[in-house]
Amino acid sequence: MDPMLGPKGSFPPYPFADSWKRNPIVELPISIDEIVHDIDAVIATHYHYDHLDSTAFKAIPKRMKIFVKDERNHRLFVRKGFSNVEIFDS
């Protein structure tokens, strides 16, 4: 859900947080290949770089099932080359 897969420190600090450390503040515990290897689908609650980053867009297979909340996010994923995008009902 909302994969953020960028390397440690690849994003600026969150202005609303109590810390000025760059995000993510730690490296992933396993490789991105291992993370995406056995997943069946991705749920994208909405698009902000801190919920779904450019590394995730590149790492997730384009035929992966993607669930999004609305037409706007559906169009975003299709523009990014994903072919199996579905809007879920809340």
Coordinates of all heavy atoms in Angstrom, one line a residue:
M1 N 0.9 -1.2 0.0 CA 0.0 0.0 0.0 C 0.9 1.2 0.0 O 1.8 1.3 0.8 CB -0.9 0.0 1.2 CG -1.8 1.2 1.3 SD -2.9 1.2 2.7 CE -4.2 0.1 2.1
D2 N 0.6 2.2 -0.9 CA 1.4 3.4 -1.0 C 2.9 3.2 -0.9 O 3.6 3.7 0.0 CB 1.0 4.4 0.1 CG -0.5 4.9 -0.1 OD1 -1.0 4.8 -1.2 OD2 -1.1 5.3 0.9
P3 N 3.5 2.4 -1.9 CA 4.9 2.1 -1.8 C 5.8 3.3 -1.9 O 5.7 4.1 -2.9 CB 5.1 1.1 -2.9 CG 4.0 1.3 -3.8 CD 2.8 1.8 -3.0
M4 N 6.7 3.5 -1.0 CA 7.7 4.5 -1.1 C 9.0 3.7 -1.0 O 9.4 3.2 0.0 CB 7.6 5.5 0.1 CG 8.6 6.6 0.0 SD 8.2 7.8 1.3 CE 9.6 8.9 1.1
L5 N 9.7 3.6 -2.1 CA 10.9 2.7 -2.2 C 12.2 3.5 -2.5 O 13.2 2.8 -2.7 CB 10.6 1.7 -3.4 CG 9.4 0.9 -3.2 CD1 9.2 0.0 -4.5 CD2 9.5 0.0 -2.0
G6 N 12.2 4.8 -2.4 CA 13.4 5.6 -2.7 C 14.5 5.3 -1.6 O 14.2 4.9 -0.5
P7 N 15.7 5.6 -1.9 CA 16.8 5.3 -1.0 C 16.8 6.3 0.2 O 16.2 7.4 0.1 CB 18.1 5.5 -1.8 CG 17.7 6.3 -3.0 CD 16.2 6.0 -3.3
K8 N 17.4 6.0 1.2 CA 17.5 6.8 2.4 C 18.0 8.2 2.0 O 18.9 8.4 1.3 CB 18.5 6.2 3.4 CG 18.7 7.0 4.6 CD 19.8 6.4 5.6 CE 20.0 7.3 6.8 NZ 21.1 6.7 7.6
G9 N 17.2 9.2 2.5 CA 17.6 10.6 2.3 C 17.3 11.2 1.0 O 17.7 12.3 0.7
S10 N 16.5 10.5 0.2 CA 16.2 11.0 -1.2 C 15.1 12.1 -1.3 O 14.9 12.6 -2.3 CB 15.9 9.8 -2.1 OG 14.8 9.1 -1.6
F11 N 14.5 12.4 -0.2 CA 13.4 13.4 -0.1 C 13.7 14.4 1.0 O 14.3 14.0 2.0 CB 12.0 12.7 0.1 CG 11.7 11.8 -1.0 CD1 11.8 10.4 -0.8 CD2 11.2 12.2 -2.2 CE1 11.4 9.5 -1.8 CE2 10.9 11.3 -3.2 CZ 11.0 10.0 -3.0
P12 N 13.2 15.6 0.8 CA 13.4 16.6 1.9 C 12.6 16.2 3.1 O 11.7 15.4 3.1 CB 12.9 17.9 1.3 CG 12.0 17.4 0.2 CD 12.4 16.1 -0.3
P13 N 13.0 16.9 4.3 CA 12.2 16.6 5.5 C 10.8 17.0 5.3 O 10.5 17.9 4.5 CB 12.9 17.5 6.5 CG 14.2 17.9 5.9 CD 14.0 17.8 4.4
Y14 N 9.9 16.4 6.1 CA 8.5 16.8 6.1 C 8.4 18.1 6.9 O 8.8 18.1 8.1 CB 7.6 15.7 6.6 CG 7.7 14.5 5.8 CD1 7.9 13.3 6.4 CD2 7.4 14.5 4.4 CE1 8.0 12.1 5.7 CE2 7.5 13.3 3.7 CZ 7.8 12.1 4.3 OH 7.8 11.0 3.6
P15 N 7.8 19.2 6.4 CA 7.7 20.4 7.1 C 6.9 20.3 8.4 O 7.1 21.1 9.3 CB 7.1 21.4 6.1 CG 6.5 20.6 5.0 CD 7.2 19.2 5.0
F16 N 5.9 19.4 8.4 CA 5.0 19.3 9.6 C 5.6 18.3 10.6 O 5.0 18.2 11.7 CB 3.6 18.8 9.1 CG 3.7 17.5 8.3 CD1 3.8 16.3 8.8 CD2 3.7 17.7 6.9 CE1 3.9 15.2 8.0 CE2 3.8 16.5 6.1 CZ 3.9 15.3 6.7
A17 N 6.7 17.7 10.4 CA 7.3 16.7 11.3 C 8.1 17.4 12.3 O 8.5 18.6 12.1 CB 8.1 15.7 10.5
D18 N 8.4 16.8 13.4 CA 9.2 17.3 14.4 C 10.7 17.1 14.2 O 11.5 17.4 15.0 CB 8.8 16.6 15.8 CG 8.7 17.6 16.9 OD1 8.8 18.8 16.7 OD2 8.6 17.2 18.0
S19 N 11.1 16.6 13.0 CA 12.5 16.3 12.7 C 12.8 16.9 11.3 O 12.0 17.1 10.5 CB 12.7 14.8 12.6 OG 13.9 14.5 12.1
W20 N 14.0 17.3 11.2 CA 14.5 17.9 9.9 C 15.4 16.9 9.2 O 16.1 17.3 8.3 CB 15.2 19.2 10.1 CG 14.2 20.2 10.5 CD1 13.9 20.7 11.8 CD2 13.2 20.8 9.7 NE1 12.9 21.5 11.8 CE2 12.4 21.7 10.5 CE3 12.9 20.8 8.3 CZ2 11.4 22.4 10.0 CZ3 11.9 21.5 7.9 CH2 11.1 22.4 8.7
K21 N 15.2 15.6 9.5 CA 16.0 14.6 8.8 C 15.3 14.4 7.4 O 14.1 14.4 7.3 CB 15.9 13.2 9.5 CG 16.7 13.2 10.8 CD 16.6 11.9 11.5 CE 17.4 11.9 12.8 NZ 17.3 10.6 13.5
R22 N 16.2 14.1 6.4 CA 15.7 13.8 5.1 C 15.0 12.4 5.1 O 15.3 11.6 5.9 CB 16.8 13.8 4.1 CG 17.3 15.2 3.9 CD 18.4 15.3 2.8 NE 17.9 15.0 1.5 CZ 17.2 15.8 0.7 NH1 17.0 17.0 1.0 NH2 16.8 15.3 -0.5
N23 N 14.1 12.2 4.2 CA 13.3 11.0 4.2 C 13.6 10.1 3.0 O 14.0 10.7 2.0 CB 11.8 11.3 4.2 CG 11.4 11.9 5.5 OD1 11.3 11.1 6.5 ND2 11.2 13.2 5.6
P24 N 13.4 8.9 3.0 CA 13.2 8.0 4.2 C 14.4 8.1 5.1 O 15.5 8.4 4.7 CB 13.0 6.6 3.7 CG 12.9 6.7 2.2 CD 13.4 8.1 1.8
I25 N 14.1 7.9 6.4 CA 15.2 8.0 7.4 C 16.1 6.8 7.5 O 17.1 6.8 8.2 CB 14.7 8.5 8.7 CG1 13.7 7.5 9.3 CG2 14.1 9.9 8.6 CD1 13.3 7.8 10.8
V26 N 15.7 5.7 6.9 CA 16.4 4.4 6.9 C 16.4 3.8 5.5 O 15.5 4.1 4.7 CB 15.9 3.4 8.0 CG1 16.0 4.0 9.4 CG2 14.5 3.0 7.6
E27 N 17.4 3.0 5.3 CA 17.3 2.2 4.0 C 16.3 1.1 4.1 O 15.9 0.7 5.2 CB 18.7 1.6 3.7 CG 19.8 2.6 3.4 CD 19.6 3.3 2.1 OE1 18.8 2.9 1.3 OE2 20.4 4.2 1.9
L28 N 15.8 0.6 3.0 CA 14.9 -0.6 3.0 C 15.6 -1.8 3.6 O 16.8 -1.9 3.4 CB 14.5 -0.9 1.6 CG 13.6 0.2 0.9 CD1 13.5 -0.1 -0.6 CD2 12.3 0.3 1.6
P29 N 14.9 -2.6 4.3 CA 15.6 -3.8 4.9 C 15.9 -4.9 4.0 O 16.8 -5.7 4.3 CB 14.5 -4.3 6.0 CG 13.2 -3.8 5.4 CD 13.5 -2.5 4.7
I30 N 15.3 -4.9 2.8 CA 15.6 -5.9 1.7 C 15.6 -5.2 0.4 O 15.1 -4.0 0.3 CB 14.6 -7.1 1.7 CG1 13.1 -6.6 1.5 CG2 14.7 -7.9 3.0 CD1 12.1 -7.7 1.4
S31 N 16.0 -5.8 -0.6 CA 16.1 -5.2 -1.9 C 14.7 -4.9 -2.5 O 13.7 -5.6 -2.2 CB 16.9 -6.0 -2.9 OG 16.2 -7.1 -3.3
I32 N 14.6 -3.9 -3.4 CA 13.4 -3.6 -4.1 C 12.9 -4.8 -4.9 O 11.7 -5.1 -4.9 CB 13.5 -2.4 -5.0 CG1 13.8 -1.1 -4.1 CG2 12.3 -2.2 -5.9 CD1 14.1 0.1 -4.9
D33 N 13.8 -5.5 -5.5 CA 13.4 -6.8 -6.3 C 12.7 -7.8 -5.3 O 11.7 -8.4 -5.7 CB 14.6 -7.4 -6.9 CG 15.1 -6.6 -8.1 OD1 14.4 -5.8 -8.6 OD2 16.3 -6.8 -8.5
E34 N 13.2 -7.9 -4.1 CA 12.6 -8.9 -3.2 C 11.2 -8.4 -2.8 O 10.3 -9.1 -2.6 CB 13.5 -9.0 -2.0 CG 14.7 -9.9 -2.2 CD 15.6 -9.9 -1.0 OE1 15.4 -10.9 -0.2 OE2 16.5 -9.1 -0.8
I35 N 11.1 -7.0 -2.6 CA 9.8 -6.5 -2.2 C 8.8 -6.7 -3.2 O 7.7 -7.1 -2.9 CB 10.0 -5.0 -1.9 CG1 10.9 -4.8 -0.6 CG2 8.6 -4.3 -1.7 CD1 11.3 -3.3 -0.4
V36 N 9.1 -6.4 -4.5 CA 8.0 -6.5 -5.5 C 7.8 -7.9 -6.1 O 6.9 -8.2 -6.8 CB 8.3 -5.5 -6.7 CG1 8.3 -4.1 -6.1 CG2 9.5 -5.8 -7.4
H37 N 8.8 -8.8 -5.8 CA 8.7 -10.2 -6.4 C 7.4 -10.9 -6.2 O 6.9 -11.5 -7.1 CB 9.9 -11.0 -5.8 CG 9.9 -12.4 -6.3 ND1 10.2 -12.7 -7.6 CD2 9.6 -13.6 -5.7 CE1 10.1 -14.0 -7.8 NE2 9.8 -14.6 -6.6
D38 N 6.9 -11.0 -5.0 CA 5.7 -11.8 -4.7 C 4.5 -11.1 -4.4 O 3.5 -11.6 -3.9 CB 6.0 -12.8 -3.5 CG 6.9 -13.9 -4.0 OD1 6.8 -14.4 -5.1 OD2 7.7 -14.4 -3.1
I39 N 4.4 -9.8 -4.7 CA 3.2 -9.1 -4.5 C 2.2 -9.3 -5.6 O 2.6 -9.5 -6.7 CB 3.4 -7.6 -4.2 CG1 4.0 -6.9 -5.4 CG2 4.2 -7.3 -3.0 CD1 4.1 -5.4 -5.3
D40 N 0.9 -9.3 -5.2 CA -0.1 -9.5 -6.2 C -0.8 -8.2 -6.7 O -1.3 -8.2 -7.8 CB -1.3 -10.4 -5.6 CG -0.8 -11.8 -5.2 OD1 0.0 -12.4 -6.0 OD2 -1.1 -12.2 -4.1
A41 N -0.7 -7.2 -5.9 CA -1.3 -5.9 -6.3 C -0.8 -4.8 -5.4 O -0.1 -5.0 -4.4 CB -2.8 -6.0 -6.1
V42 N -1.0 -3.6 -5.9 CA -0.6 -2.4 -5.2 C -1.9 -1.5 -5.0 O -2.7 -1.4 -5.9 CB 0.4 -1.5 -6.0 CG1 0.6 -0.2 -5.3 CG2 1.7 -2.3 -6.1
I43 N -2.1 -1.0 -3.8 CA -3.1 -0.1 -3.5 C -2.5 1.3 -3.3 O -1.6 1.5 -2.5 CB -3.9 -0.5 -2.2 CG1 -4.5 -1.8 -2.3 CG2 -4.9 0.6 -1.8 CD1 -5.1 -2.4 -1.0
A44 N -3.0 2.2 -4.1 CA -2.5 3.6 -4.1 C -3.6 4.5 -3.5 O -4.6 4.7 -4.3 CB -2.0 4.1 -5.4
T45 N -3.5 4.9 -2.3 CA -4.7 5.6 -1.7 C -4.8 7.0 -2.3 O -5.9 7.5 -2.4 CB -4.5 5.8 -0.2 OG1 -3.3 6.5 0.1 CG2 -4.5 4.4 0.5
H46 N -3.7 7.6 -2.7 CA -3.6 8.9 -3.4 C -2.2 9.1 -3.8 O -1.3 8.4 -3.4 CB -4.1 10.0 -2.6 CG -3.3 10.3 -1.3 ND1 -3.3 9.5 -0.2 CD2 -2.5 11.3 -1.0 CE1 -2.5 10.0 0.7 NE2 -2.0 11.1 0.2
Y47 N -2.0 10.1 -4.7 CA -0.6 10.3 -5.1 C 0.0 11.6 -4.5 O -0.5 12.7 -4.7 CB -0.5 10.4 -6.6 CG 0.9 10.8 -7.1 CD1 1.9 9.9 -6.8 CD2 1.2 12.0 -7.6 CE1 3.2 10.2 -7.1 CE2 2.5 12.3 -7.9 CZ 3.5 11.4 -7.7 OH 4.8 11.7 -8.0
H48 N 1.0 11.4 -3.7 CA 2.0 12.4 -3.2 C 3.3 11.6 -3.2 O 3.3 10.4 -3.0 CB 1.7 12.8 -1.8 CG 0.5 13.7 -1.6 ND1 -0.2 13.7 -0.5 CD2 -0.1 14.6 -2.5 CE1 -1.2 14.5 -0.6 NE2 -1.1 15.1 -1.8
Y49 N 4.4 12.3 -3.4 CA 5.7 11.7 -3.5 C 6.0 10.9 -2.2 O 6.8 9.9 -2.3 CB 6.8 12.6 -3.9 CG 7.2 13.5 -2.7 CD1 8.2 13.2 -1.8 CD2 6.6 14.8 -2.5 CE1 8.5 14.0 -0.7 CE2 7.0 15.6 -1.5 CZ 7.9 15.2 -0.6 OH 8.3 16.0 0.4
D50 N 5.4 11.3 -1.1 CA 5.7 10.6 0.1 C 4.8 9.3 0.3 O 4.9 8.7 1.3 CB 5.6 11.5 1.3 CG 4.2 12.1 1.5 OD1 3.5 12.3 0.5 OD2 3.9 12.4 2.7
H51 N 3.9 9.1 -0.6 CA 3.1 7.9 -0.6 C 3.4 6.9 -1.7 O 3.2 5.7 -1.6 CB 1.6 8.2 -0.7 CG 1.1 8.9 0.5 ND1 0.4 8.1 1.5 CD2 1.1 10.1 1.0 CE1 0.0 8.9 2.5 NE2 0.5 10.2 2.2
L52 N 3.9 7.4 -2.8 CA 4.3 6.7 -4.0 C 5.3 7.4 -4.7 O 5.0 8.4 -5.4 CB 3.0 6.4 -4.8 CG 3.2 5.5 -6.0 CD1 3.2 4.0 -5.5 CD2 2.1 5.7 -7.0
D53 N 6.6 7.0 -4.6 CA 7.6 7.8 -5.1 C 8.1 7.3 -6.5 O 7.6 6.3 -7.0 CB 8.8 7.9 -4.2 CG 9.4 6.5 -3.9 OD1 9.2 5.5 -4.6 OD2 10.2 6.4 -2.9
S54 N 8.9 8.1 -7.2 CA 9.4 7.8 -8.5 C 10.1 6.4 -8.6 O 10.0 5.7 -9.6 CB 10.3 8.9 -9.1 OG 11.4 9.1 -8.3
T55 N 10.8 6.1 -7.6 CA 11.4 4.7 -7.5 C 10.4 3.6 -7.6 O 10.6 2.6 -8.3 CB 12.3 4.6 -6.3 OG1 13.3 5.7 -6.2 CG2 13.0 3.3 -6.3
A56 N 9.3 3.8 -6.9 CA 8.2 2.8 -6.9 C 7.6 2.7 -8.3 O 7.4 1.6 -8.8 CB 7.2 3.1 -5.8
F57 N 7.3 3.9 -8.9 CA 6.8 3.8 -10.3 C 7.7 3.1 -11.2 O 7.2 2.4 -12.1 CB 6.6 5.3 -10.8 CG 5.3 5.9 -10.4 CD1 5.2 7.0 -9.6 CD2 4.1 5.4 -10.8 CE1 4.0 7.6 -9.3 CE2 2.9 5.9 -10.5 CZ 2.9 7.1 -9.7
K58 N 9.0 3.2 -11.1 CA 9.9 2.4 -11.9 C 10.0 1.0 -11.6 O 10.2 0.1 -12.5 CB 11.3 3.1 -11.9 CG 11.4 4.5 -12.4 CD 12.7 5.1 -12.2 CE 12.7 6.6 -12.6 NZ 13.9 7.3 -12.1
A59 N 9.9 0.6 -10.3 CA 10.2 -0.8 -9.8 C 8.9 -1.7 -10.0 O 9.1 -2.9 -10.2 CB 10.6 -0.7 -8.4
I60 N 7.8 -1.1 -9.9 CA 6.5 -1.9 -10.0 C 6.3 -2.4 -11.4 O 6.3 -1.5 -12.3 CB 5.3 -1.2 -9.4 CG1 5.6 -0.8 -7.9 CG2 4.1 -2.0 -9.6 CD1 4.6 0.2 -7.4
P61 N 6.1 -3.7 -11.7 CA 5.9 -4.1 -13.0 C 4.7 -3.4 -13.6 O 3.6 -3.3 -12.9 CB 5.7 -5.6 -12.9 CG 6.4 -6.0 -11.6 CD 6.2 -4.8 -10.7
K62 N 4.8 -3.0 -14.9 CA 3.7 -2.3 -15.5 C 2.4 -3.1 -15.7 O 1.3 -2.5 -15.9 CB 4.1 -1.8 -16.9 CG 5.3 -0.8 -16.8 CD 5.0 0.4 -16.0 CE 6.1 1.4 -16.0 NZ 6.4 2.0 -14.7
R63 N 2.5 -4.4 -15.6 CA 1.3 -5.2 -15.7 C 0.7 -5.6 -14.3 O -0.3 -6.3 -14.2 CB 1.6 -6.5 -16.5 CG 2.0 -6.2 -17.9 CD 2.2 -7.4 -18.7 NE 1.0 -8.0 -19.0 CZ 0.8 -9.3 -19.3 NH1 1.9 -10.1 -19.4 NH2 -0.3 -9.9 -19.5
M64 N 1.3 -5.1 -13.2 CA 0.8 -5.3 -11.9 C -0.6 -4.8 -11.7 O -0.9 -3.7 -12.2 CB 1.8 -4.6 -10.9 CG 1.4 -4.7 -9.4 SD 1.6 -6.3 -8.7 CE 3.3 -6.5 -8.8
K65 N -1.4 -5.5 -10.9 CA -2.7 -4.9 -10.6 C -2.6 -3.8 -9.7 O -1.9 -3.9 -8.6 CB -3.6 -6.0 -9.9 CG -5.0 -5.6 -9.6 CD -5.8 -5.3 -10.9 CE -7.2 -5.3 -10.6 NZ -8.0 -5.2 -11.8
I66 N -3.1 -2.6 -10.1 CA -3.1 -1.4 -9.3 C -4.5 -1.0 -8.9 O -5.3 -0.8 -9.8 CB -2.4 -0.2 -10.1 CG1 -1.0 -0.7 -10.6 CG2 -2.3 1.0 -9.2 CD1 0.1 -0.9 -9.7
F67 N -4.8 -0.8 -7.6 CA -6.1 -0.2 -7.2 C -5.9 1.2 -6.8 O -5.0 1.6 -6.0 CB -6.6 -1.0 -6.0 CG -7.0 -2.4 -6.3 CD1 -6.1 -3.5 -6.1 CD2 -8.2 -2.7 -6.9 CE1 -6.4 -4.8 -6.3 CE2 -8.5 -4.0 -7.2 CZ -7.6 -5.1 -6.9
V68 N -6.8 2.1 -7.4 CA -6.7 3.5 -7.1 C -8.1 4.0 -6.6 O -9.1 3.3 -6.8 CB -6.2 4.3 -8.3 CG1 -4.8 4.0 -8.6 CG2 -7.1 4.2 -9.5
K69 N -8.2 5.2 -6.1 CA -9.4 5.6 -5.5 C -10.3 6.4 -6.5 O -11.5 6.6 -6.2 CB -9.2 6.5 -4.3 CG -8.6 7.8 -4.5 CD -8.5 8.7 -3.3 CE -8.2 10.1 -3.7 NZ -8.5 11.0 -2.6
D70 N -9.8 7.0 -7.5 CA -10.6 7.8 -8.4 C -10.0 7.9 -9.8 O -8.9 7.3 -10.1 CB -10.7 9.2 -7.8 CG -9.4 9.9 -7.6 OD1 -8.4 9.6 -8.3 OD2 -9.4 10.8 -6.7
E71 N -10.8 8.5 -10.7 CA -10.4 8.6 -12.1 C -9.1 9.4 -12.3 O -8.3 9.1 -13.1 CB -11.5 9.3 -12.9 CG -11.3 9.3 -14.4 CD -11.2 8.0 -15.0 OE1 -12.0 7.0 -14.6 OE2 -10.4 7.8 -15.9
R72 N -8.9 10.4 -11.5 CA -7.6 11.2 -11.6 C -6.4 10.3 -11.4 O -5.4 10.4 -12.1 CB -7.7 12.3 -10.6 CG -6.5 13.2 -10.6 CD -6.7 14.4 -9.7 NE -5.5 15.2 -9.6 CZ -4.9 15.5 -8.4 NH1 -5.5 15.2 -7.3 NH2 -3.8 16.2 -8.4
N73 N -6.4 9.5 -10.3 CA -5.3 8.6 -10.1 C -5.2 7.5 -11.1 O -4.1 7.1 -11.5 CB -5.4 8.0 -8.7 CG -5.0 9.1 -7.6 OD1 -3.9 9.2 -7.3 ND2 -6.0 9.7 -7.0
H74 N -6.4 7.1 -11.6 CA -6.4 6.1 -12.7 C -5.6 6.6 -13.9 O -4.8 5.9 -14.5 CB -7.8 5.7 -13.1 CG -8.0 4.7 -14.1 ND1 -7.9 4.9 -15.4 CD2 -8.1 3.3 -13.9 CE1 -8.0 3.8 -16.1 NE2 -8.2 2.8 -15.2
R75 N -5.9 7.9 -14.3 CA -5.3 8.5 -15.5 C -3.8 8.6 -15.2 O -3.0 8.4 -16.1 CB -5.9 9.8 -15.8 CG -7.2 9.8 -16.4 CD -7.7 11.1 -16.9 NE -7.7 12.2 -15.9 CZ -8.7 12.5 -15.1 NH1 -9.9 11.8 -15.2 NH2 -8.6 13.5 -14.2
L76 N -3.4 8.9 -14.0 CA -1.9 9.1 -13.7 C -1.2 7.7 -13.9 O -0.2 7.7 -14.6 CB -1.8 9.5 -12.2 CG -0.3 9.4 -11.7 CD1 0.5 10.5 -12.3 CD2 -0.3 9.5 -10.2
F77 N -1.7 6.6 -13.4 CA -1.1 5.4 -13.6 C -1.1 4.9 -15.0 O 0.0 4.4 -15.5 CB -1.7 4.3 -12.7 CG -1.2 4.3 -11.3 CD1 -1.7 5.1 -10.3 CD2 -0.1 3.5 -11.0 CE1 -1.2 5.1 -9.0 CE2 0.4 3.4 -9.7 CZ -0.2 4.3 -8.7
V78 N -2.1 5.2 -15.7 CA -2.1 4.8 -17.2 C -1.1 5.6 -17.9 O -0.3 5.1 -18.7 CB -3.5 5.0 -17.8 CG1 -3.5 4.9 -19.3 CG2 -4.5 4.0 -17.2
R79 N -1.0 6.9 -17.6 CA 0.1 7.8 -18.2 C 1.5 7.3 -17.9 O 2.4 7.4 -18.7 CB 0.0 9.2 -17.7 CG -1.0 10.1 -18.5 CD -0.8 11.6 -18.2 NE -0.5 12.0 -16.9 CZ -1.4 12.2 -15.9 NH1 -2.7 12.2 -16.2 NH2 -1.1 12.6 -14.7
K80 N 1.6 6.7 -16.7 CA 2.9 6.1 -16.3 C 3.2 4.8 -16.9 O 4.2 4.2 -16.7 CB 3.0 6.0 -14.8 CG 2.9 7.4 -14.0 CD 4.3 8.0 -14.0 CE 4.3 9.2 -13.1 NZ 5.6 9.9 -13.0
G81 N 2.3 4.2 -17.7 CA 2.5 3.0 -18.4 C 1.9 1.7 -17.8 O 2.1 0.6 -18.3
F82 N 1.1 1.9 -16.8 CA 0.5 0.7 -16.1 C -0.8 0.3 -16.9 O -1.5 1.2 -17.4 CB 0.1 1.0 -14.7 CG 1.4 1.2 -13.8 CD1 2.0 2.4 -13.7 CD2 1.9 0.1 -13.2 CE1 3.2 2.5 -12.9 CE2 3.1 0.2 -12.5 CZ 3.7 1.4 -12.3
S83 N -1.0 -1.0 -17.1 CA -2.1 -1.4 -17.9 C -3.2 -2.2 -17.2 O -4.2 -2.5 -17.8 CB -1.5 -2.4 -19.0 OG -0.9 -3.5 -18.4
N84 N -3.0 -2.4 -15.9 CA -4.0 -3.1 -15.1 C -4.5 -2.3 -13.9 O -4.3 -2.7 -12.8 CB -3.4 -4.5 -14.7 CG -4.4 -5.5 -14.2 OD1 -5.6 -5.2 -14.3 ND2 -3.9 -6.6 -13.7
V85 N -5.1 -1.2 -14.2 CA -5.5 -0.2 -13.1 C -7.0 -0.2 -12.9 O -7.7 -0.2 -13.9 CB -5.0 1.2 -13.5 CG1 -5.3 2.2 -12.4 CG2 -3.5 1.2 -13.9
E86 N -7.4 -0.3 -11.7 CA -8.8 -0.4 -11.4 C -9.1 0.6 -10.2 O -8.4 0.7 -9.3 CB -9.2 -1.8 -10.9 CG -10.6 -2.0 -10.6 CD -10.9 -3.5 -10.2 OE1 -10.2 -4.4 -10.7 OE2 -11.8 -3.7 -9.4
I87 N -10.3 1.3 -10.4 CA -10.8 2.2 -9.3 C -11.5 1.3 -8.3 O -12.4 0.5 -8.7 CB -11.7 3.3 -9.9 CG1 -10.9 4.1 -10.9 CG2 -12.3 4.1 -8.8 CD1 -11.7 5.1 -11.7
F88 N -11.2 1.4 -7.1 CA -11.9 0.7 -6.0 C -13.0 1.6 -5.4 O -12.8 2.8 -5.3 CB -11.0 0.1 -5.0 CG -10.2 1.1 -4.2 CD1 -10.7 1.7 -3.1 CD2 -8.9 1.4 -4.5 CE1 -10.0 2.6 -2.3 CE2 -8.1 2.3 -3.8 CZ -8.7 2.9 -2.7
D89 N -14.1 0.9 -5.0 CA -15.1 1.7 -4.3 C -14.8 1.7 -2.8 O -14.4 0.7 -2.2 CB -16.5 1.0 -4.5 CG -16.9 1.1 -6.0 OD1 -16.5 2.0 -6.6 OD2 -17.7 0.2 -6.4
S90 N -15.2 2.8 -2.2 CA -14.9 2.9 -0.7 C -16.1 2.4 0.1 O -17.1 2.1 -0.3 CB -14.6 4.3 -0.4 OG -15.6 5.2 -0.8

